[in-house]
Amino acid sequence: MTFSEKFHLRIPGPTPIPSRVQQAMNQPIFGHRSQEATQLIQECSQKLKPIFGTGQDPLILTSSGTSALEAAVINTLSPGDEALVIVTGSFGDRFAKIVERYEFTLHRLDIEWGKSCSPEQLRIALQQHPKTKAVFVTYCETSTGVLNPIEELSKVVHTHSEALFVVDGVSCIGAVPCQMDDWGLDVVVTGSQKALMLPPGLSFIAVSRRAWRQIEQNQMPSFYLNLLQYRNSLSQSTTPYTPAISLLLGLKEALCMLEEEGLEQVFQRHELLMSMCRTGVQSMGLTLMASKQDASPTVTSIYGGGAEAWSSEDVRKHLKQLRVLVAGGQQHLKGQIFRIGHMGYCDSLDILTALSALEIALTQAGVPISLGSGVKAAQEVYLHHV
Ligand SMILES: Cc1ncc(COP(=O)(O)O)c(C=O)c1O
């Protein structure tokens, strides 16, 4: 079909790939122990530092984001250790499941889905579990579109405990500020297929000095996910196992693009995309899941199909016919919400396109909206911004 290649990927990852990155990945392959490879690894690790806001060398794993979550758990906790997991949605729940699977003692701090964890809620939980060795949190909870207040939560962890603070930043690092060293974050992980504008397949882990001390004492057996091995190899600008060289070539290009735009500018762009998306959707009469204060600049969750007379799954089907792909809800939110991703290689016109398609899809699904209302409101946000 003529247009089969032309679609709008507006799910919260994987995200669209810029052609510069695509072309970089098409270069001929070379040996993973060659000088080209060591130079590439070194450059990528250096260029990742400002994205994490750290002076430490971020580690590069050839595996998806979940492997980095697992590595963070099994390298920081030893048998018998207690972990506090802040669960604000399905990815916090994943952290909890990993902790449980390895039979560490799990304390869950369950927060209502759609809300962020407050510093006070964390303070109380830490008071209840004073032996906590590490606190795990999701920076952007992709399942609800909520951004947790990481800097404030980190202060609470370090004021009220000796625990490490471990952050899953898979769906926002590279799109929102992260000052790992200044904020006292101990481990921050992310993946390639979200704000970093790459295909899936790489994950990244940055580790604080304090966390390295705990990792050096770690008693858990691990092999592929042993972070000390990655640190040793990175000190010689290599990786313990064959890295995904093509993805690394793409990574270098993507990091150059972020550098060229300027990180501050990148963060502001994501703020604008969030604001256009939220204002547009609200102006159509739809209800947002996250409050303005809790909302993530990378993904927006919208109610549809619960209390509403219409089905978000039906709307998603109509959107798909227009070749606009958005995500549904996860776990108990299946059929209750839909989610629009706006991270990475995404600009204002992409949001206007998605909103315009959404108005058509809602109308086709029988939702009484005024065509153009959302697009107009989002255009006004844009005009006000520039
Ligand atoms: C916040 C968050 N954590 C972890 C993951 C898991 O990453 P992966 O699917 O690459 O294993 C995702 C993926 O969507 C995510 O959004």
Side-chain angles (χ1 to χ4, degrees), residues 24 47 107 154 168 174 189 195 219 241 255 262 269 277 362 377:
K47 283 183 190 296
H107 305 296
S154 182
D168 167 0
V189 312
Q219 302 294 315
Y241 314 107
L255 294 172
R269 170 166 54 84
C277 189
L362 285 164

Side-chain angles (χ1 to χ4, degrees), residues 64-66 69 91 94 138 140 142 168 170-171 193-194:
S64 87
T66 306
L69 303 189
F91 291 101
R94 185 168 299 182
T138 318
C140 167
T142 329
D168 167 0
V170 169
S171 62
Q193 76 274 25
K194 311 265 181 178

Side-chain angles (χ1 to χ4, degrees), residues 12 114 116 139-148 171-173 175-176 270-275 277-278 289-301 340-343:
S116 67
Y139 194 172
C140 167
E141 179 44 78
T142 329
S143 61
T144 59
V146 160
L147 198 74
N148 278 299
S171 62
C172 65
I173 296 295
V176 302
H270 284 88
E271 287 280 334
L272 173 63
L273 299 178
M274 165 181 71
S275 183
C277 189
R278 286 174 63 83
M289 184 170 207
S291 68
K292 189 172 180 199
Q293 197 198 339
D294 283 349
S296 171
T298 54
V299 52
T300 295
S301 292
I340 301 177
H342 34 78
M343 68 187 107

Side-chain angles (χ1 to χ4, degrees), residues 49-261:
K49 286 183 180 182
I51 310 268
F52 284 91
T54 184
Q56 302 293 313
D57 296 326
L59 309 173
I60 302 171
L61 276 61
T62 296
S63 46
S64 87
T66 306
S67 75
L69 303 189
E70 186 160 344
V73 170
I74 64 173
N75 282 268
T76 57
L77 297 177
S78 288
D81 279 352
E82 296 185 22
L84 176 64
V85 181
I86 301 171
V87 180
T88 49
S90 110
F91 291 101
D93 188 51
R94 185 168 299 182
F95 247 152
K97 284 187 174 125
I98 297 170
V99 167
E100 259 179 334
R101 180 66 60 90
Y102 282 97
E103 299 182 352
F104 300 114
T105 303
L106 167 68
H107 305 296
R108 282 176 74 111
L109 170 53
D110 275 294
I111 308 291
E112 186 188 338
W113 288 32
K115 295 206 163 37
S116 67
C117 174
S118 74
E120 185 56 10
Q121 285 169 314
L122 178 57
R123 191 190 62 74
I124 293 167
L126 279 170
Q127 214 167 30
Q128 286 166 349
H129 305 294
K131 290 197 195 133
T132 297
K133 266 289 173 68
V135 176
F136 296 86
V137 70
T138 318
Y139 194 172
C140 167
E141 179 44 78
T142 329
S143 61
T144 59
V146 160
L147 198 74
N148 278 299
I150 295 302
E151 186 181 359
E152 286 80 2
L153 295 178
S154 182
K155 271 192 204 123
V156 172
V157 171
H158 299 308
T159 309
H160 298 281
S161 78
E162 296 292 311
L164 296 180
F165 191 43
V166 179
V167 180
D168 167 0
V170 169
S171 62
C172 65
I173 296 295
V176 302
C178 178
Q179 290 302 329
M180 182 172 167
D181 294 351
D182 290 352
W183 297 352
L185 313 181
D186 289 300
V187 180
V188 180
V189 312
T190 195
S192 52
Q193 76 274 25
K194 311 265 181 178
L196 296 180
M197 309 184 285
L198 289 160
L202 293 179
S203 57
F204 311 97
I205 309 188
V207 180
S208 73
R209 279 184 211 280
R210 180 177 33 215
W212 275 126
R213 285 196 290 276
Q214 191 156 315
I215 292 171
E216 282 156 11
Q217 308 299 318
N218 186 270
Q219 302 294 315
M220 282 294 290
S222 59
F223 193 85
Y224 191 77
L225 296 180
N226 186 299
L227 293 183
L228 288 171
Q229 292 222 60
Y230 284 86
R231 183 175 68 171
N232 284 345
S233 295
L234 192 59
S235 69
Q236 293 154 56
S237 301
T238 187
T239 52
Y241 314 107
T242 314
I245 291 171
S246 304
L247 289 176
L248 290 178
L249 287 164
L251 174 64
K252 185 181 149 194
E253 194 63 29
L255 294 172
C256 284
M257 288 177 72
L258 293 176
E259 254 176 36
E260 284 164 23
E261 185 177 355

